[in-house]
Amino acid sequence: PDLNKDVPSLEIDARANGPASAVVDLLATPPFEVLAGTGITGNQAGGMVIARVRLAFPLLDDIKLEQMDLNVSAQTNGLALHNVCNDLSLTDANLRVEVTENGLKAQGPLRFAGVDGVIDWDEDFLPATPLRTDLIFTVVRASVPEVRRALAPWADTGRWLKGGHFAGEVRYTARDDGTANLDGRLDLGAAELALPELHWSKPAGRTALAEAQAFILGDRLEAINNVALSAADADIRGHALFGDDGRLDSLDLEHFRLGRNQVSGHMHALD
């Protein structure tokens, strides 16, 4: 017999206009847990949300997401998430957000770590679907000084990133098996770059394009399957593998032309 047939249910159809912190706390708790593992809480959130919430679910002690009939349509106004990672913050997010029992979709402009862009984010809640996250961030304008500041906790990039700005696109896709891909394509034409170790530099205004495709296993960078830099006096193509400790294991350069330097070959890290 169907033991849930006569279980009473609750239906909600409401409109809300309030602080974004409440929505962030909701998305971090069961059964949604979209922000689970990120450490992001409502205390870090600012801005406002206008939303319509339609919800129906059985009155059971333990409710699974697939037992809910959920439809949330929301618009954020000046959404901010402070100190998301190493004191970096997301601000000025004006996003259109749709949430159902099947997943989440968010689209709109924002600013992260001083980088202006547009996000297109799909999050799948269904356990039977291999692809869990598909996030595309279109970089409208990234100021090089702001990027240097954002990268400072990990590396001092001032000797390579000199000035100007750049644009491009970064795409992150994650699967339920713990693997993920991070692909990027950057237009560096308006940026001033330098590789002083190789006596190479590029002024702002000279065409340059950079690309990379990385493979991530768990929380570890496994491989960069392709990395490339193309400019008038530069043509670099290669790939790299990383060890279990995250350190570079090997680097293959299919082609390397930088100014007057031209090489190709395989390098393997020494223990």
Side-chain angles (χ1 to χ4, degrees), residues 59-88:
L59 296 176
L60 299 171
D61 291 335
D62 185 17
I63 303 173
K64 296 181 174 59
L65 189 58
E66 56 266 27
Q67 295 175 288
M68 303 175 67
D69 184 6
L70 172 68
N71 193 310
V72 178
S73 298
Q75 176 70 48
T76 71
N77 183 13
L79 172 67
L81 293 174
H82 301 290
N83 301 323
V84 175
C85 176
N86 285 81
D87 296 326
L88 302 179

Side-chain angles (χ1 to χ4, degrees), residues 144 159-167 186-196 198-210 229-235 258-259:
V144 166
R159 61 190 292 122
W160 307 303
L161 303 176
K162 293 297 186 179
H165 58 89
F166 59 89
L186 301 177
D187 180 353
L188 302 172
E192 180 185 353
L193 309 174
L195 290 174
L198 297 173
H199 307 288
W200 179 84
S201 63
K202 184 200 81 67
R206 184 180 295 172
T207 301
L209 182 68
L229 173 66
S230 301
D233 60 345
D235 185 10
L258 196 64

Side-chain angles (χ1 to χ4, degrees), residues 78-155:
L79 172 67
L81 293 174
H82 301 290
N83 301 323
V84 175
C85 176
N86 285 81
D87 296 326
L88 302 179
S89 297
L90 179 152
T91 61
D92 305 312
N94 299 314
L95 308 177
R96 180 69 179 174
V97 183
E98 302 284 340
V99 183
T100 71
E101 66 272 15
N102 296 328
L104 174 149
K105 186 174 183 65
Q107 294 177 308
L110 54 77
R111 185 175 175 84
F112 180 69
V115 176
D116 292 312
V118 178
I119 193 172
D120 189 344
W121 175 26
D122 283 285
E123 190 77 17
D124 196 321
F125 298 158
L126 298 176
T129 308
L131 185 63
R132 186 180 74 247
T133 303
D134 187 7
L135 190 153
I136 300 173
F137 184 63
T138 302
V139 179
V140 176
R141 181 185 174 93
S143 163
V144 166
E146 293 281 2
V147 172
R148 283 204 309 259
R149 197 172 300 118
L151 294 175
W154 296 280

